[in-house]
Amino acid sequence: MDAVSHDYAAYNQGQLRLLAGILVLLTATAAERVPVGLTAAGRMIEGLMVRPGAAVGPRIILIGDSKTVREQLQKYESMADQRRKFRVTGVLLPAGVKLHFPPSGAAYKDETESNYIWRWIGTEAPDLVLVDTFDDGGLVDALNASPGLIGRIPARHGGLASVKGVTAKSAAGVEVERRVDRTPREVAERLAGIYGLAMPEASYIPAMAMIGRLRLGQVAEVEKAVSAFDKVPARETEIGAHLLFAELAQRTGADRYNRLVERAAEVATLDNLDNEMSDSVFMSCPLLARAGAFDAAVRHLAKMQKLCVREDGLYRHSPNADVAWARGNGFPALGLALMLSALPPDHRAYEESVRAFQNHMAALARYQDESGMWRQVVDRPGSYSELSATAMIGAAMLRGVRQGWLDERAYGPRIRRAWIAVSARTSDDGVLIDVCESTGKQKSAEDYLKRAAITGRDERGGAMVLYFATEMAGLP
């Protein structure tokens, strides 16, 4: 194992905790803007954060009308350092917004503002929520009665002046710390008992989870689960599923798996399967390269870049809309990393393909949010932090560092921040927070923003988090 791989495989959990602490310890002389969410009309729900004076302190969220919250934050910020004992984030509610908690319907299609605020509070996992001077739509009662997304968060009516002290971390905060304390391998082993247990149809989703299980040594179990598989792929998602058989061929040497890969590669050379979506970089390019069809992989990459790469280096999901959808960037990020892993370094297009990967990673790096996540519309502050894309981008960056395509000093902290964020949003029983539903071509940014965000068990999100966990663990 190379030095970089060893560093990630053995990464000390105390260092991860230290990094998480550093992210909230950095001092600032002015309140910092925090995107909380979006209104149904697409306006920003803004937050302002004031950090504690000297050390990491309890975290408070203050919610109210813009004028009241600003006045309280300004007064708090003007205090001497030693008197600022809390990290306070004020949520500035837009005028005229009606709230209802806990929200109903699909996030973030229905009850948009309520869903954004509820889920943002849940993932922030503060130690106390204060509600001041507005009709809270039942927020205080809902927080006190509900286990929330991660754990219970105490809430009450009142302003900052009413807080004399916060003596205990919230149950949500304790649970986040526990989750971040898990090693990547521990997370992978938990998820491997939940996801990728069967492949009822040819799809990249169970295939990626099963690759994670192979990395954990569950070769016999995976072989049994796919023993009857003999489907000729007819769609790109089915071609992507054959990455599993490429992995099995490498591990077992069985001719059956090689034949499945070769047959899928033949189908992947057809020009009518990609549907002009950036997903295609993942669905076809790695499989073609694994099958030894290097020129075909490079040609397909060039085609998709021409269709989907924007001037800023991000991918539009399709030519239908100039929108940088999160998973529409996760697919080409991970797809090109996997293609490059199989492309011979002496191939005529190798260096050009590496530069394409580097350019995409540099574009994505600019948009990693304050928590370590990438957003549903990557360059739209306030859109929700999306789990599956973050796992894919984090895994791609890690592969890039290990292969020497990316500078560890620049990308290592980003990878670790992504892992902290992903692990905090992943429970031991496979419950995930905010995985975008299956999404084909859309016509506008509004369409992508309104795609349902799944919170619960989700095969797609579970597969990608499992895969990222095995990458972080350095498993072969």
Side-chain angles (χ1 to χ4, degrees), residues 203-229:
S203 167
Y204 76 94
I205 295 171
M208 292 302 289
M210 286 182 173
I211 289 172
R213 294 181 63 202
L214 291 178
R215 290 174 163 188
L216 290 165
Q218 299 176 16
V219 178
E221 296 89 334
V222 171
E223 283 199 280
K224 182 178 179 181
V226 299
S227 60
F229 184 91

mmCIF file of all heavy atoms in Angstrom, residues 203-229:
data_model
loop_
_atom_site.group_PDB
_atom_site.id
_atom_site.type_symbol
_atom_site.label_atom_id
_atom_site.label_comp_id
_atom_site.label_asym_id
_atom_site.label_seq_id
_atom_site.Cartn_x
_atom_site.Cartn_y
_atom_site.Cartn_z
ATOM 1 N N SER A 203 -28.597 -2.736 -12.644
ATOM 2 C CA SER A 203 -28.542 -1.317 -12.306
ATOM 3 C C SER A 203 -27.220 -1.028 -11.620
ATOM 4 O O SER A 203 -26.703 -1.846 -10.849
ATOM 5 C CB SER A 203 -29.709 -0.951 -11.382
ATOM 6 O OG SER A 203 -29.506 0.335 -10.813
ATOM 7 N N TYR A 204 -26.699 0.162 -11.898
ATOM 8 C CA TYR A 204 -25.451 0.567 -11.250
ATOM 9 C C TYR A 204 -25.622 0.696 -9.743
ATOM 10 O O TYR A 204 -24.637 0.643 -8.996
ATOM 11 C CB TYR A 204 -24.971 1.902 -11.830
ATOM 12 C CG TYR A 204 -25.747 3.103 -11.337
ATOM 13 C CD1 TYR A 204 -25.305 3.840 -10.233
ATOM 14 C CD2 TYR A 204 -26.930 3.510 -11.948
ATOM 15 C CE1 TYR A 204 -26.016 4.926 -9.766
ATOM 16 C CE2 TYR A 204 -27.642 4.587 -11.487
ATOM 17 C CZ TYR A 204 -27.186 5.306 -10.396
ATOM 18 O OH TYR A 204 -27.893 6.380 -9.935
ATOM 19 N N ILE A 205 -26.863 0.861 -9.259
ATOM 20 C CA ILE A 205 -27.077 1.158 -7.837
ATOM 21 C C ILE A 205 -26.692 -0.031 -6.953
ATOM 22 O O ILE A 205 -25.780 0.099 -6.115
ATOM 23 C CB ILE A 205 -28.527 1.624 -7.591
ATOM 24 C CG1 ILE A 205 -28.763 2.953 -8.317
ATOM 25 C CG2 ILE A 205 -28.789 1.778 -6.106
ATOM 26 C CD1 ILE A 205 -30.218 3.388 -8.326
ATOM 27 N N PRO A 206 -27.315 -1.210 -7.097
ATOM 28 C CA PRO A 206 -26.835 -2.341 -6.279
ATOM 29 C C PRO A 206 -25.424 -2.750 -6.642
ATOM 30 O O PRO A 206 -24.682 -3.254 -5.791
ATOM 31 C CB PRO A 206 -27.846 -3.446 -6.585
ATOM 32 C CG PRO A 206 -28.433 -3.094 -7.903
ATOM 33 C CD PRO A 206 -28.475 -1.590 -7.939
ATOM 34 N N ALA A 207 -25.011 -2.517 -7.913
ATOM 35 C CA ALA A 207 -23.663 -2.905 -8.321
ATOM 36 C C ALA A 207 -22.605 -2.162 -7.514
ATOM 37 O O ALA A 207 -21.619 -2.756 -7.062
ATOM 38 C CB ALA A 207 -23.467 -2.652 -9.815
ATOM 39 N N MET A 208 -22.796 -0.844 -7.308
ATOM 40 C CA MET A 208 -21.805 -0.083 -6.548
ATOM 41 C C MET A 208 -21.773 -0.523 -5.089
ATOM 42 O O MET A 208 -20.700 -0.581 -4.473
ATOM 43 C CB MET A 208 -22.103 1.414 -6.652
ATOM 44 C CG MET A 208 -21.884 2.000 -8.038
ATOM 45 S SD MET A 208 -20.191 1.773 -8.654
ATOM 46 C CE MET A 208 -19.292 2.908 -7.582
ATOM 47 N N ALA A 209 -22.941 -0.840 -4.527
ATOM 48 C CA ALA A 209 -22.953 -1.350 -3.156
ATOM 49 C C ALA A 209 -22.254 -2.706 -3.082
ATOM 50 O O ALA A 209 -21.521 -2.991 -2.125
ATOM 51 C CB ALA A 209 -24.389 -1.457 -2.648
ATOM 52 N N MET A 210 -22.461 -3.547 -4.084
ATOM 53 C CA MET A 210 -21.820 -4.866 -4.095
ATOM 54 C C MET A 210 -20.309 -4.749 -4.273
ATOM 55 O O MET A 210 -19.556 -5.564 -3.719
ATOM 56 C CB MET A 210 -22.428 -5.730 -5.189
ATOM 57 C CG MET A 210 -23.828 -6.226 -4.851
ATOM 58 S SD MET A 210 -24.505 -7.294 -6.139
ATOM 59 C CE MET A 210 -26.013 -7.866 -5.346
ATOM 60 N N ILE A 211 -19.853 -3.752 -5.015
ATOM 61 C CA ILE A 211 -18.407 -3.526 -5.099
ATOM 62 C C ILE A 211 -17.861 -3.194 -3.716
ATOM 63 O O ILE A 211 -16.784 -3.659 -3.322
ATOM 64 C CB ILE A 211 -18.099 -2.410 -6.116
ATOM 65 C CG1 ILE A 211 -18.370 -2.907 -7.539
ATOM 66 C CG2 ILE A 211 -16.644 -1.953 -5.994
ATOM 67 C CD1 ILE A 211 -18.278 -1.830 -8.609
ATOM 68 N N GLY A 212 -18.615 -2.400 -2.957
ATOM 69 C CA GLY A 212 -18.214 -2.134 -1.579
ATOM 70 C C GLY A 212 -18.139 -3.403 -0.756
ATOM 71 O O GLY A 212 -17.210 -3.603 0.033
ATOM 72 N N ARG A 213 -19.096 -4.299 -0.948
ATOM 73 C CA ARG A 213 -19.076 -5.568 -0.221
ATOM 74 C C ARG A 213 -17.889 -6.431 -0.650
ATOM 75 O O ARG A 213 -17.267 -7.110 0.189
ATOM 76 C CB ARG A 213 -20.383 -6.319 -0.449
ATOM 77 C CG ARG A 213 -21.610 -5.613 0.162
ATOM 78 C CD ARG A 213 -22.869 -6.418 -0.073
ATOM 79 N NE ARG A 213 -22.779 -7.714 0.586
ATOM 80 C CZ ARG A 213 -23.488 -8.786 0.254
ATOM 81 N NH1 ARG A 213 -24.338 -8.722 -0.777
ATOM 82 N NH2 ARG A 213 -23.353 -9.921 0.911
ATOM 83 N N LEU A 214 -17.551 -6.410 -1.939
ATOM 84 C CA LEU A 214 -16.359 -7.142 -2.391
ATOM 85 C C LEU A 214 -15.121 -6.628 -1.690
ATOM 86 O O LEU A 214 -14.251 -7.414 -1.286
ATOM 87 C CB LEU A 214 -16.185 -6.987 -3.906
ATOM 88 C CG LEU A 214 -17.195 -7.677 -4.820
ATOM 89 C CD1 LEU A 214 -16.865 -7.367 -6.282
ATOM 90 C CD2 LEU A 214 -17.211 -9.182 -4.588
ATOM 91 N N ARG A 215 -15.019 -5.331 -1.538
ATOM 92 C CA ARG A 215 -13.842 -4.741 -0.884
ATOM 93 C C ARG A 215 -13.747 -5.154 0.576
ATOM 94 O O ARG A 215 -12.666 -5.139 1.153
ATOM 95 C CB ARG A 215 -13.910 -3.218 -0.994
ATOM 96 C CG ARG A 215 -13.683 -2.700 -2.407
ATOM 97 C CD ARG A 215 -13.907 -1.208 -2.470
ATOM 98 N NE ARG A 215 -13.327 -0.627 -3.672
ATOM 99 C CZ ARG A 215 -13.235 0.669 -3.904
ATOM 100 N NH1 ARG A 215 -13.698 1.534 -3.009
ATOM 101 N NH2 ARG A 215 -12.690 1.116 -5.020
ATOM 102 N N LEU A 216 -14.874 -5.488 1.156
ATOM 103 C CA LEU A 216 -14.887 -5.976 2.542
ATOM 104 C C LEU A 216 -14.643 -7.475 2.624
ATOM 105 O O LEU A 216 -14.703 -8.060 3.701
ATOM 106 C CB LEU A 216 -16.223 -5.629 3.196
ATOM 107 C CG LEU A 216 -16.449 -4.140 3.488
ATOM 108 C CD1 LEU A 216 -17.923 -3.873 3.787
ATOM 109 C CD2 LEU A 216 -15.574 -3.672 4.641
ATOM 110 N N GLY A 217 -14.394 -8.104 1.482
ATOM 111 C CA GLY A 217 -14.072 -9.527 1.458
ATOM 112 C C GLY A 217 -15.255 -10.441 1.270
ATOM 113 O O GLY A 217 -15.121 -11.671 1.380
ATOM 114 N N GLN A 218 -16.430 -9.894 0.928
ATOM 115 C CA GLN A 218 -17.643 -10.713 0.818
ATOM 116 C C GLN A 218 -17.822 -11.226 -0.616
ATOM 117 O O GLN A 218 -18.896 -11.115 -1.218
ATOM 118 C CB GLN A 218 -18.847 -9.895 1.264
ATOM 119 C CG GLN A 218 -18.761 -9.433 2.712
ATOM 120 C CD GLN A 218 -19.916 -8.537 3.123
ATOM 121 O OE1 GLN A 218 -20.949 -8.456 2.450
ATOM 122 N NE2 GLN A 218 -19.752 -7.841 4.237
ATOM 123 N N VAL A 219 -16.780 -11.824 -1.163
ATOM 124 C CA VAL A 219 -16.796 -12.248 -2.563
ATOM 125 C C VAL A 219 -17.799 -13.376 -2.781
ATOM 126 O O VAL A 219 -18.615 -13.343 -3.716
ATOM 127 C CB VAL A 219 -15.392 -12.673 -3.016
ATOM 128 C CG1 VAL A 219 -15.423 -13.169 -4.469
ATOM 129 C CG2 VAL A 219 -14.405 -11.520 -2.871
ATOM 130 N N ALA A 220 -17.759 -14.392 -1.943
ATOM 131 C CA ALA A 220 -18.659 -15.537 -2.124
ATOM 132 C C ALA A 220 -20.118 -15.111 -2.032
ATOM 133 O O ALA A 220 -20.971 -15.568 -2.813
ATOM 134 C CB ALA A 220 -18.349 -16.609 -1.083
ATOM 135 N N GLU A 221 -20.432 -14.227 -1.092
ATOM 136 C CA GLU A 221 -21.813 -13.782 -0.924
ATOM 137 C C GLU A 221 -22.297 -13.001 -2.152
ATOM 138 O O GLU A 221 -23.436 -13.163 -2.596
ATOM 139 C CB GLU A 221 -21.938 -12.908 0.334
ATOM 140 C CG GLU A 221 -21.641 -13.634 1.641
ATOM 141 C CD GLU A 221 -20.171 -13.584 2.029
ATOM 142 O OE1 GLU A 221 -19.305 -13.442 1.137
ATOM 143 O OE2 GLU A 221 -19.902 -13.692 3.239
ATOM 144 N N VAL A 222 -21.422 -12.139 -2.688
ATOM 145 C CA VAL A 222 -21.809 -11.370 -3.873
ATOM 146 C C VAL A 222 -21.960 -12.288 -5.079
ATOM 147 O O VAL A 222 -22.909 -12.153 -5.863
ATOM 148 C CB VAL A 222 -20.775 -10.259 -4.156
ATOM 149 C CG1 VAL A 222 -21.044 -9.595 -5.504
ATOM 150 C CG2 VAL A 222 -20.807 -9.217 -3.036
ATOM 151 N N GLU A 223 -21.040 -13.237 -5.228
ATOM 152 C CA GLU A 223 -21.163 -14.171 -6.358
ATOM 153 C C GLU A 223 -22.488 -14.938 -6.296
ATOM 154 O O GLU A 223 -23.141 -15.139 -7.329
ATOM 155 C CB GLU A 223 -19.994 -15.148 -6.351
ATOM 156 C CG GLU A 223 -18.693 -14.562 -6.869
ATOM 157 C CD GLU A 223 -17.717 -15.637 -7.272
ATOM 158 O OE1 GLU A 223 -17.069 -16.197 -6.355
ATOM 159 O OE2 GLU A 223 -17.613 -15.939 -8.479
ATOM 160 N N LYS A 224 -22.877 -15.352 -5.115
ATOM 161 C CA LYS A 224 -24.144 -16.079 -4.974
ATOM 162 C C LYS A 224 -25.319 -15.192 -5.366
ATOM 163 O O LYS A 224 -26.264 -15.637 -6.034
ATOM 164 C CB LYS A 224 -24.301 -16.564 -3.537
ATOM 165 C CG LYS A 224 -25.572 -17.369 -3.302
ATOM 166 C CD LYS A 224 -25.648 -17.858 -1.854
ATOM 167 C CE LYS A 224 -26.929 -18.652 -1.614
ATOM 168 N NZ LYS A 224 -27.020 -19.109 -0.197
ATOM 169 N N ALA A 225 -25.252 -13.917 -4.994
ATOM 170 C CA ALA A 225 -26.365 -13.001 -5.269
ATOM 171 C C ALA A 225 -26.541 -12.738 -6.756
ATOM 172 O O ALA A 225 -27.651 -12.421 -7.199
ATOM 173 C CB ALA A 225 -26.145 -11.685 -4.535
ATOM 174 N N VAL A 226 -25.460 -12.868 -7.556
ATOM 175 C CA VAL A 226 -25.553 -12.575 -8.999
ATOM 176 C C VAL A 226 -25.355 -13.824 -9.845
ATOM 177 O O VAL A 226 -25.118 -13.721 -11.053
ATOM 178 C CB VAL A 226 -24.532 -11.486 -9.406
ATOM 179 C CG1 VAL A 226 -24.804 -10.188 -8.659
ATOM 180 C CG2 VAL A 226 -23.093 -11.951 -9.177
ATOM 181 N N SER A 227 -25.480 -14.986 -9.236
ATOM 182 C CA SER A 227 -25.163 -16.228 -9.941
ATOM 183 C C SER A 227 -26.052 -16.471 -11.152
ATOM 184 O O SER A 227 -25.636 -17.104 -12.130
ATOM 185 C CB SER A 227 -25.257 -17.422 -8.979
ATOM 186 O OG SER A 227 -26.576 -17.511 -8.447
ATOM 187 N N ALA A 228 -27.295 -15.965 -11.116
ATOM 188 C CA ALA A 228 -28.214 -16.206 -12.229
ATOM 189 C C ALA A 228 -28.216 -15.070 -13.245
ATOM 190 O O ALA A 228 -28.975 -15.114 -14.219
ATOM 191 C CB ALA A 228 -29.625 -16.416 -11.686
ATOM 192 N N PHE A 229 -27.385 -14.061 -13.030
ATOM 193 C CA PHE A 229 -27.426 -12.885 -13.904
ATOM 194 C C PHE A 229 -26.883 -13.228 -15.291
ATOM 195 O O PHE A 229 -25.776 -13.742 -15.422
ATOM 196 C CB PHE A 229 -26.600 -11.745 -13.298
ATOM 197 C CG PHE A 229 -26.673 -10.467 -14.088
ATOM 198 C CD1 PHE A 229 -27.640 -9.523 -13.803
ATOM 199 C CD2 PHE A 229 -25.793 -10.216 -15.133
ATOM 200 C CE1 PHE A 229 -27.713 -8.347 -14.533
ATOM 201 C CE2 PHE A 229 -25.870 -9.056 -15.865
ATOM 202 C CZ PHE A 229 -26.839 -8.111 -15.562
#
